[in-house]
Amino acid sequence: MQRTAWKYYPRQQDHNTEQNREKSPACVQLQLMMSSSFNIFRVGISVVIMCIFYKSAVDSLSELSPQKYFSTLQPGKASLAYFCQADSPRTSIFLEELNEAITPLQDYGISVAKVNCVKEETSRYCGKEEDLMKAYLFRGNILLREFPTDVLFDVNAIVAHVLFALLFNEVKYITTLEDLQNIENALKGKANIAFSYVRAIGTPEHRAVMEAAFVYGTTYQFVLTTETALLESIGNEDIENAHLYFFHCKQVLDLTLQCRRTLMEQPLTTLNIHQFIKTMEAPLLTEVTEDPQQVSTVHLQLGLPLVFIVSQQATYEADRRTAEWVAWRLLGKAGVLLLLRDSLEVDIPQHSNVIFRRAEEGVPVEFLVLDDIDSLISHVESNVHIEEIQEDEDEDTKSPNMDVQDDEVAETVYRDRKRPLPLELTVELTEETFNTTVVASDSIVLFYAGWQAVSMAFLQSYIDLAIKLKGTSTMLLTRVNCADWSDLCTKQNVTEFPVVKMYKEGKNPVSYVGMLGTEDLLKFIQLRISCPVNITSVQEAEEYLSGELYKDLISYSSVSVLGLFSPNMTTAKEDFTEAGNYLKGYAITGIYSEEDVLILSDKYAATLPALLLSRHKEGKIESIPLANSHAQDIIQIITNALLETFPEITVENLPIYLRLQKPLLILFSDGSINPQYKKAILMLVKEKHLDSLTPCWLNLKNTPVGRGILQSYFDTMPPLPLLVVVNLHSGGQVFAFPSDQAITEQNLLLWLKKLEAGLENHITILPAQEWKPPLPAYDFLSMMDAAASQHPTRKDPECTKEMDVQENDKKQHEDKSAIIKEPIETLRIKHWNRSNWFKEGEKSFRHDNKEL
């Protein structure tokens, strides 16, 4: 996807940088924890926010006028300035995050100020609309860099970006293995390297690395990358997590040798990085002759255990080589010491060759007898690992991780971040251009948030749709970034992202609630003909039923629905028309109510009022009576008719069939199914033997998750094909068709009768539990409004005359949503499925959902 470009300006070299740095409170605090082997210097920094008369939860920010602010700038001092043209609630989130960042920024000697742009004072940073969502970084009165504010999305991002920009020389950003090798070769025999990989700039891990670089940047060369290929090229395939390596280059004098690398195995936090670097600074191996219980090293101070390799004079050289090898293996995990037994007054058991001392005070040392190095390493790592697990479990109990939702979607967005998107194929709308654009033309509008993973993933599908429709559609494809225009999105009743709405002149906007994918959205747009279609003659009705009338749309809907009514059936026609309007975008519906309607009803044996369902793939037409059927009933009939008789189940369509609330009869197959199996099952369907079940099949080649499903039913992967009945909605029992029997009509019928009689044993019972997203959906715009609710002149959104269209849209959506109940079961995989065609808007349905 395309990202907002940053403008980089040449960094001004300050020859007096070391002299101008000041120690901050945070720096002094860290120094108390560290040895005094080097000095820490600081750059004075001030972060400034410029805004016109914005009164929100940022009152702790000192306020200056532009003239006053620029007059206070000092050479060597840095500042971050943000400009907003007027009172704008959409800036409240950024200002609130900046306010939260005051304390950590002050810990690094960074002052924070707010500058109010006033009409009496002109500034080029106050007047341009396109500059409103950017922040500007200065040193003195020289502009260093500008950032889109969406990259400064929280406290971590603000601190990380400010430090990253200011530590330009201390932290080298690289993208290729060649870059890393060049830096490594240049520093051999001179300095060590702290190389880190983070998944994205502005993350908490990035902030931790920048804070470490602020402290240690004068001692080590920090190198940063976000490229997964670079991480993999040095032998680490875990691209899901951030990593830090310490390259031991200072002791490498032979330029042909590679620097040793030590991986930090703890999560990237400021404290963990500090601890890791301190262990890298400690001596690799220390010789001691005193009581192990009395020895004190930096490792104990950092909470790491000590390993004493017991030696004696006769084997000293060999023992020292062994100890050095162990020390390299345990570097960063434990301190390693060589203990000379001959010069020690304390008694050590004769056969003990290793002493293990934990970091906790008062814990006695362990005397061990280990035969090889691997056993020693395993013993140490297992003890350290147990302690880490216990700490992690405590943390999980105290404060669950609230940032895990959408992680696979976020990974996809991050992986495709360099994929160029032709955004010019869609029109970007603003508060000023929205009304004029949607009134002037039929429009599709995507409401999204530029910082949200799901929105950005769907934006790619939306652009793919624009490519498919280029030059062929009269619909104008547009988009609104709600992160920039929250007021506009609130007026359009958008409270979750992403949302697609269709606007047509003179009609209420219609929300799309299908799958978040290109093909489903394309189908929705192509089927947006005026439904139900008014058929005026028997010949036209026959063309409609045969597919000739709308042959270009047959690929999007394999079923055409025609309502037959006598001219005087007013109420029945109104109900059918309401149902047809509701199903626009999902089904083709037509209505015929001429005087000669009996010609069609007699031909197709239909009792008026009736539905004719033309299944184009199967080439047959069936009739369904509509006597005493209301709009809700008609919608239910048509939606059930759209379902295939024996479908291939996929992740995308599974919720549709679960909506039927019937047990699933699933034929698992590793590829296409045997035609004889399909014929047998379809025959049972035709003879009404499977009315209480939903027959379907699952192709493991198309839906690999099916293997995991089978393995949850059986301990090992069973031979295929395999037929099972899964009773999701009542009891959770899973039954398997006997593998030694052929799948024939007769055998299936006998087996199903045994199931009905309770004569078959289940192979497993699925746990009764509700399966839902790990976290509830956020009403982001309400959160934004709440953040700005303290503004004295701000009014809560309310329905006015100009909002009638949107309110009607909301009411219409809620009314329709009450028609059909939809279960929320789904496969246990993270897939953004929006197949819930007909949402229950006002009610909350809870089912005993189980893993399929």
Side-chain angles (χ1 to χ4, degrees):
M1 75 188 69
Q2 286 188 342
R3 294 195 175 201
T4 309
W6 293 5
K7 285 188 178 179
Y8 287 88
Y9 294 83
R11 177 175 176 135
Q12 302 299 314
Q13 297 298 325
D14 187 352
H15 298 290
N16 297 318
T17 298
E18 299 297 329
Q19 289 78 2
N20 291 338
R21 291 190 178 186
E22 305 168 0
K23 291 183 180 180
S24 71
C27 183
V28 173
Q29 185 176 7
L30 281 174
Q31 260 195 310
L32 294 176
M33 302 168 61
M34 299 183 295
S35 65
S36 57
S37 58
F38 62 95
N39 294 323
I40 304 168
F41 302 94
R42 309 309 311 263
V43 176
I45 305 167
S46 62
V47 177
V48 181
I49 298 306
M50 297 187 129
C51 181
I52 297 179
F53 306 126
Y54 189 85
K55 304 288 185 183
S56 68
V58 290
D59 294 332
S60 57
L61 291 171
S62 58
E63 300 189 21
L64 302 170
S65 67
Q67 182 178 358
K68 178 64 175 176
Y69 163 64
F70 284 111
S71 68
T72 60
L73 295 180
Q74 301 176 19
K77 301 288 185 179
S79 64
L80 182 70
Y82 175 70
F83 301 79
C84 63
Q85 187 65 24
D87 176 13
S88 177
R90 60 194 172 97
T91 66
S92 61
I93 297 298
F94 172 70
L95 291 174
E96 186 174 304
E97 291 297 330
L98 186 77
N99 192 54
E100 293 294 325
I102 290 177
T103 299
L105 290 174
Q106 286 178 342
D107 286 343
Y108 286 95
I110 301 171
S111 62
V112 181
K114 172 186 171 185
V115 177
N116 293 323
C117 291
V118 293
K119 295 180 180 179
E120 292 78 12
E121 298 181 18
T122 59
S123 171
R124 67 187 183 97
Y125 300 106
C126 291
K128 295 183 179 180
E129 176 71 22
E130 61 270 18
D131 294 334
L132 299 186
M133 303 307 293
K134 295 179 181 178
Y136 300 88
L137 181 65
F138 297 88
R139 177 177 281 113
N141 59 358
I142 300 174
L143 179 64
L144 296 181
R145 190 167 302 172
E146 65 182 45
F147 309 96
T149 54
D150 59 1
V151 306
L152 306 178
F153 46 84
D154 64 8
V155 175
N156 293 316
I158 293 172
V159 176
H161 278 287
V162 170
L163 293 181
F164 194 19
L166 295 172
L167 297 175
F168 183 81
N169 291 327
E170 288 85 349
V171 182
K172 301 294 185 183
Y173 181 84
I174 63 174
T175 58
T176 66
L177 180 61
E178 182 181 3
D179 294 337
L180 180 61
Q181 291 173 341
N182 289 338
I183 294 176
E184 184 177 344
N185 289 334
L187 292 179
K188 286 178 180 177
K190 300 177 182 177
N192 295 321
I193 300 172
F195 168 71
S196 57
Y197 160 81
V198 295
R199 293 183 61 184
I201 301 299
T203 59
E205 294 81 7
H206 180 219
R207 171 184 172 179
V209 172
M210 291 303 102
E211 290 179 324
F214 193 90
V215 175
Y216 296 100
T218 56
T219 305
Y220 307 109
Q221 177 63 64
F222 278 74
V223 179
L224 178 72
T225 189
T226 57
E227 298 296 325
T228 57
L230 178 52
L231 180 67
E232 292 169 343
S233 68
I234 64 173
N236 193 327
E237 298 181 356
D238 178 17
I239 62 173
E240 301 293 328
N241 300 299
H243 299 283
L244 187 142
Y245 285 85
F246 193 89
F247 285 29
H248 304 268
C249 294
K250 190 172 184 178
Q251 59 187 353
V252 178
L253 301 179
D254 187 345
L255 298 182
T256 62
L257 298 179
Q258 187 182 65
C259 302
R260 279 183 178 267
R261 300 171 181 177
T262 302
L263 172 64
M264 174 181 158
E265 297 186 358
Q266 292 77 23
L268 260 66
T269 65
T270 303
L271 187 58
N272 284 346
I273 295 176
H274 161 71
Q275 175 179 295
F276 178 73
I277 291 180
K278 291 306 295 178
T279 60
M280 297 301 104
E281 294 176 339
L284 178 67
L285 179 66
T286 303
E287 292 188 17
V288 295
T289 58
E290 56 187 303
D291 184 353
Q293 199 70 53
Q294 304 301 320
V295 172
S296 178
T297 71
V298 68
H299 301 89
L300 293 178
Q301 300 169 15
L302 297 173
L304 297 177
L306 296 181
V307 176
F308 296 84
I309 305 296
V310 180
S311 177
Q312 53 190 356
Q313 201 65 40
T315 59
Y316 172 78
E317 293 298 332
D319 293 337
R320 183 175 178 83
R321 288 192 297 269
T322 299
E324 288 180 351
W325 178 243
V326 170
W328 280 114
R329 292 278 300 274
L330 293 177
L331 190 57
K333 303 173 186 177
V336 179
L337 304 94
L338 186 64
L339 179 63
L340 298 179
R341 184 195 298 265
D342 299 338
S343 58
L344 187 65
E345 297 181 357
V346 179
D347 291 334
I348 299 175
Q350 187 63 34
H351 298 292
S352 296
N353 55 2
V354 174
I355 300 175
F356 183 71
R357 178 182 170 186
R358 298 181 183 275
E360 297 85 357
E361 293 185 5
V363 178
V365 298
E366 299 178 41
F367 296 96
L368 307 173
V369 179
L370 298 175
D371 298 327
D372 53 65
I373 292 178
D374 289 338
S375 299
L376 171 56
I377 302 299
S378 177
H379 179 81
V380 175
E381 290 182 342
S382 62
N383 279 277
V384 174
H385 184 59
I386 290 174
E387 294 173 3
E388 290 177 352
I389 290 177
Q390 291 174 343
E391 291 176 0
D392 291 342
E393 288 177 347
D394 291 341
E395 288 298 321
D396 290 340
T397 302
K398 294 176 183 177
S399 56
N401 182 5
M402 298 298 287
D403 297 321
V404 299
Q405 188 160 306
D406 308 343
D407 53 352
E408 292 186 3
V409 180
E411 177 189 353
T412 301
V413 172
Y414 178 74
R415 186 181 64 239
D416 295 340
R417 68 194 186 283
K418 293 186 177 181
R419 172 188 172 189
L421 290 178
L423 295 176
E424 66 277 2
L425 295 179
T426 62
V427 178
E428 184 174 11
L429 300 181
T430 67
E431 201 159 14
E432 291 74 20
T433 62
F434 183 86
N435 290 330
T436 56
T437 302
V438 299
V439 168
S441 61
D442 294 343
S443 304
I444 299 289
V445 183
L446 166 64
F447 297 91
Y448 70 103
W451 45 263
Q452 189 211 20
V454 181
S455 288
M456 299 312 295
F458 182 55
L459 179 61
Q460 298 181 6
S461 298
Y462 191 69
I463 297 301
D464 290 340
L465 172 69
I467 295 173
K468 287 179 177 289
L469 292 178
K470 185 178 181 181
T472 64
S473 176
T474 58
M475 298 294 296
L476 179 66
L477 267 65
T478 64
R479 52 190 167 86
V480 175
N481 189 346
C482 293
D484 296 340
W485 306 102
S486 59
D487 277 358
L488 171 59
C489 296
T490 299
K491 291 177 182 178
Q492 300 304 314
N493 299 317
V494 176
T495 59
E496 61 181 8
F497 311 123
V499 169
V500 175
K501 291 194 176 189
M502 178 180 288
Y503 293 79
K504 285 195 173 186
E505 185 177 0
K507 298 183 179 180
N508 293 333
V510 179
S511 297
Y512 170 72
V513 291
M515 282 287 296
L516 293 180
T518 302
E519 295 302 324
D520 291 88
L521 184 55
L522 178 62
K523 174 182 175 181
F524 173 76
I525 294 174
Q526 298 290 39
L527 292 181
R528 294 301 299 175
I529 61 175
S530 180
C531 286
V533 178
N534 189 26
I535 305 298
T536 59
S537 68
V538 172
Q539 181 182 354
E540 187 180 11
E542 295 288 7
E543 291 177 356
Y544 173 83
L545 291 171
S546 67
E548 285 297 318
L549 193 60
Y550 294 103
K551 57 184 178 182
D552 293 339
L553 301 180
I554 296 301
S555 60
Y556 300 105
S557 179
S558 60
V559 178
S560 295
V561 181
L562 181 63
L564 300 181
F565 304 91
S566 296
N568 60 349
M569 294 179 175
T570 304
T571 303
K573 287 190 291 184
E574 289 176 351
D575 285 334
F576 181 78
T577 301
E578 180 182 345
N581 281 324
Y582 185 85
L583 292 169
K584 279 194 288 190
Y586 302 103
I588 303 175
T589 59
I591 185 171
Y592 189 73
S593 63
E594 301 297 327
E595 296 291 343
D596 56 356
V597 68
L598 293 177
I599 297 175
L600 291 172
S601 66
D602 291 342
K603 179 177 180 179
Y604 296 106
T607 301
L608 302 180
L611 285 183
L612 295 182
L613 301 176
S614 177
R615 301 183 184 276
H616 302 296
K617 288 183 179 180
E618 302 170 19
K620 66 178 184 179
I621 299 175
E622 60 182 286
S623 64
I624 300 175
L626 287 182
N628 301 319
S629 296
H630 300 292
Q632 297 95 324
D633 305 316
I634 297 172
I635 291 174
Q636 187 69 65
I637 292 171
I638 295 175
T639 53
N640 288 345
L642 295 176
L643 303 180
E644 297 181 43
T645 305
F646 184 49
E648 178 186 351
I649 287 296
T650 64
V651 173
E652 290 79 7
N653 68 14
L654 175 64
I656 302 173
Y657 292 94
L658 288 176
R659 180 165 49 83
L660 300 176
Q661 295 282 306
K662 297 179 181 179
L664 299 177
L665 174 66
I666 311 177
L667 176 61
F668 289 88
S669 176
D670 194 15
S672 299
I673 57 175
N674 188 318
Q676 295 300 319
Y677 302 159
K678 183 176 181 179
K679 181 180 179 181
I681 293 175
L682 289 177
M683 185 59 67
L684 292 177
V685 172
K686 184 178 181 180
E687 295 172 355
K688 306 295 184 181
H689 293 302
L690 301 182
D691 285 354
S692 62
L693 303 172
T694 299
C696 55
W697 68 287
L698 193 149
N699 187 343
L700 297 185
K701 289 185 177 178
N702 296 337
T703 310
V705 72
R707 297 186 183 276
I709 295 171
L710 284 176
Q711 288 174 351
S712 69
Y713 297 165
F714 305 86
D715 291 335
T716 59
M717 185 68 181
L720 300 177
L722 178 67
L723 194 67
V724 300
V725 169
V726 184
N727 188 6
L728 283 172
H729 307 287
S730 140
Q733 300 92 345
V734 178
F735 301 90
F737 181 76
S739 58
D740 58 349
Q741 295 185 22
I743 301 177
T744 64
E745 182 183 347
Q746 183 178 6
N747 289 342
L748 276 176
L749 186 57
L750 290 174
W751 181 63
L752 291 174
K753 287 182 177 179
K754 289 182 179 180
L755 283 182
E756 187 177 358
L759 301 177
E760 286 287 323
N761 294 324
H762 56 263
I763 59 173
T764 188
I765 297 179
L766 301 178
Q769 62 184 32
E770 185 179 14
W771 194 85
K772 56 186 179 181
L775 298 175
Y778 292 113
D779 186 339
F780 293 105
L781 295 180
S782 294
M783 294 167 64
M784 293 179 183
D785 290 341
S789 61
Q790 298 182 13
H791 193 287
T793 62
R794 172 169 169 75
K795 296 181 180 179
D796 293 332
E798 55 185 36
C799 300
T800 62
K801 289 286 185 180
E802 64 185 40
M803 289 287 291
D804 286 345
V805 171
Q806 287 76 25
E807 184 62 26
N808 289 338
D809 172 41
K810 181 177 181 181
K811 183 176 185 299
Q812 178 190 36
H813 180 66
E814 292 175 348
D815 290 342
K816 292 175 181 177
S817 298
I819 294 175
I820 294 179
K821 296 181 180 181
E822 176 187 272
I824 55 174
E825 295 92 347
T826 185
L827 283 173
R828 275 186 177 271
I829 79 170
K830 286 191 175 181
H831 186 96
W832 278 93
N833 196 330
R834 292 285 300 275
S835 290
N836 47 335
W837 288 2
F838 315 107
K839 287 185 177 178
E840 176 78 5
E842 297 294 331
K843 300 178 182 178
S844 175
F845 292 94
R846 291 178 178 268
H847 300 279
D848 290 333
N849 300 329
K850 305 168 184 73
E851 182 177 357
L852 177 61

